[in-house]
Short mmCIF file of all heavy atoms in Angstrom, two decimals:
data_model
loop_
_atom_site.label_atom_id
_atom_site.label_comp_id
_atom_site.label_asym_id
_atom_site.label_seq_id
_atom_site.Cartn_x
_atom_site.Cartn_y
_atom_site.Cartn_z
N ASP A 964 -7.32 16.79 17.77
CA ASP A 964 -8.48 16.16 17.13
C ASP A 964 -9.42 17.26 16.67
O ASP A 964 -9.48 18.33 17.29
CB ASP A 964 -9.20 15.21 18.10
CG ASP A 964 -10.22 14.33 17.40
OD1 ASP A 964 -11.34 14.79 17.13
OD2 ASP A 964 -9.88 13.17 17.09
N VAL A 965 -10.14 16.99 15.59
CA VAL A 965 -11.07 18.00 15.07
C VAL A 965 -12.18 18.29 16.08
O VAL A 965 -12.78 19.36 16.07
CB VAL A 965 -11.65 17.54 13.71
CG1 VAL A 965 -12.56 16.33 13.87
CG2 VAL A 965 -12.35 18.68 13.00
N PHE A 966 -12.43 17.33 16.98
CA PHE A 966 -13.39 17.53 18.07
C PHE A 966 -12.62 17.68 19.38
O PHE A 966 -12.17 16.67 19.96
CB PHE A 966 -14.36 16.35 18.16
CG PHE A 966 -15.19 16.15 16.92
CD1 PHE A 966 -14.93 15.09 16.06
CD2 PHE A 966 -16.21 17.03 16.60
CE1 PHE A 966 -15.68 14.90 14.92
CE2 PHE A 966 -16.97 16.86 15.45
CZ PHE A 966 -16.71 15.79 14.60
N PRO A 967 -12.45 18.89 19.88
CA PRO A 967 -11.62 19.13 21.07
C PRO A 967 -12.03 18.32 22.29
O PRO A 967 -11.17 17.95 23.11
CB PRO A 967 -11.80 20.64 21.32
CG PRO A 967 -12.15 21.21 19.99
CD PRO A 967 -12.98 20.15 19.31
N GLU A 968 -13.31 18.01 22.41
CA GLU A 968 -13.77 17.26 23.58
C GLU A 968 -13.16 15.85 23.63
O GLU A 968 -13.07 15.25 24.70
CB GLU A 968 -15.30 17.16 23.60
CG GLU A 968 -15.95 16.46 22.42
CD GLU A 968 -16.26 17.38 21.25
OE1 GLU A 968 -15.70 18.48 21.19
OE2 GLU A 968 -17.06 16.98 20.39
N CYS A 969 -12.73 15.34 22.47
CA CYS A 969 -12.09 14.03 22.44
C CYS A 969 -10.71 14.04 23.10
O CYS A 969 -10.18 12.97 23.43
CB CYS A 969 -11.94 13.55 20.99
SG CYS A 969 -13.51 13.20 20.16
N CYS A 970 -10.14 15.21 23.27
CA CYS A 970 -8.78 15.33 23.81
C CYS A 970 -8.72 15.37 25.32
O CYS A 970 -7.65 15.17 25.90
CB CYS A 970 -8.12 16.60 23.26
SG CYS A 970 -8.02 16.69 21.47
N LYS A 971 -9.87 15.62 25.98
CA LYS A 971 -9.83 15.89 27.42
C LYS A 971 -9.28 14.72 28.24
O LYS A 971 -8.43 14.91 29.10
CB LYS A 971 -11.23 16.25 27.93
CG LYS A 971 -11.21 16.70 29.38
CD LYS A 971 -12.59 17.07 29.88
CE LYS A 971 -12.53 17.65 31.29
NZ LYS A 971 -11.76 16.84 32.24
N GLU A 972 -9.74 13.52 27.96
CA GLU A 972 -9.30 12.36 28.73
C GLU A 972 -7.80 12.15 28.58
O GLU A 972 -7.10 11.85 29.56
CB GLU A 972 -10.06 11.11 28.28
CG GLU A 972 -9.84 9.92 29.20
CD GLU A 972 -10.69 8.72 28.82
OE1 GLU A 972 -11.49 8.82 27.87
OE2 GLU A 972 -10.55 7.67 29.48
N LEU A 973 -7.30 12.33 27.36
CA LEU A 973 -5.87 12.17 27.12
C LEU A 973 -5.07 13.28 27.81
O LEU A 973 -4.00 13.04 28.36
CB LEU A 973 -5.60 12.17 25.62
CG LEU A 973 -4.41 11.33 25.15
CD1 LEU A 973 -4.62 9.86 25.45
CD2 LEU A 973 -4.16 11.54 23.66
N GLN A 974 -5.63 14.47 27.81
CA GLN A 974 -4.98 15.60 28.47
C GLN A 974 -4.86 15.34 29.97
O GLN A 974 -3.84 15.66 30.59
CB GLN A 974 -5.76 16.89 28.21
CG GLN A 974 -5.03 18.16 28.63
CD GLN A 974 -5.78 19.40 28.15
OE1 GLN A 974 -7.00 19.40 28.00
NE2 GLN A 974 -5.05 20.47 27.90
N ASP A 975 -5.89 14.74 30.55
CA ASP A 975 -5.86 14.42 31.98
C ASP A 975 -4.77 13.39 32.31
O ASP A 975 -4.30 13.33 33.45
CB ASP A 975 -7.23 13.87 32.42
CG ASP A 975 -8.32 14.94 32.40
OD1 ASP A 975 -7.97 16.14 32.38
OD2 ASP A 975 -9.51 14.57 32.38
N LEU A 976 -4.37 12.61 31.30
CA LEU A 976 -3.32 11.62 31.50
C LEU A 976 -1.92 12.19 31.25
O LEU A 976 -0.93 11.47 31.36
CB LEU A 976 -3.55 10.42 30.58
CG LEU A 976 -4.78 9.56 30.87
CD1 LEU A 976 -4.97 8.51 29.79
CD2 LEU A 976 -4.67 8.89 32.24
N GLY A 977 -1.89 13.47 30.89
CA GLY A 977 -0.59 14.13 30.72
C GLY A 977 -0.22 14.52 29.32
O GLY A 977 0.86 15.09 29.09
N ALA A 978 -1.08 14.23 28.34
CA ALA A 978 -0.77 14.61 26.96
C ALA A 978 -0.87 16.13 26.79
O ALA A 978 -1.67 16.79 27.43
CB ALA A 978 -1.73 13.92 25.99
N GLN A 979 -0.05 16.65 25.91
CA GLN A 979 -0.14 18.06 25.53
C GLN A 979 -1.10 18.16 24.36
O GLN A 979 -0.92 17.51 23.33
CB GLN A 979 1.24 18.61 25.14
CG GLN A 979 1.19 20.09 24.73
CD GLN A 979 2.55 20.60 24.23
OE1 GLN A 979 3.55 19.90 24.32
NE2 GLN A 979 2.57 21.81 23.72
#
Side-chain angles (χ1 to χ4, degrees):
D964 192 279
V965 68
F966 299 107
E968 61 272 18
C969 293
C970 302
K971 187 179 185 310
E972 190 174 358
L973 210 63
Q974 191 172 29
D975 291 342
L976 293 173
Q979 180 185 352

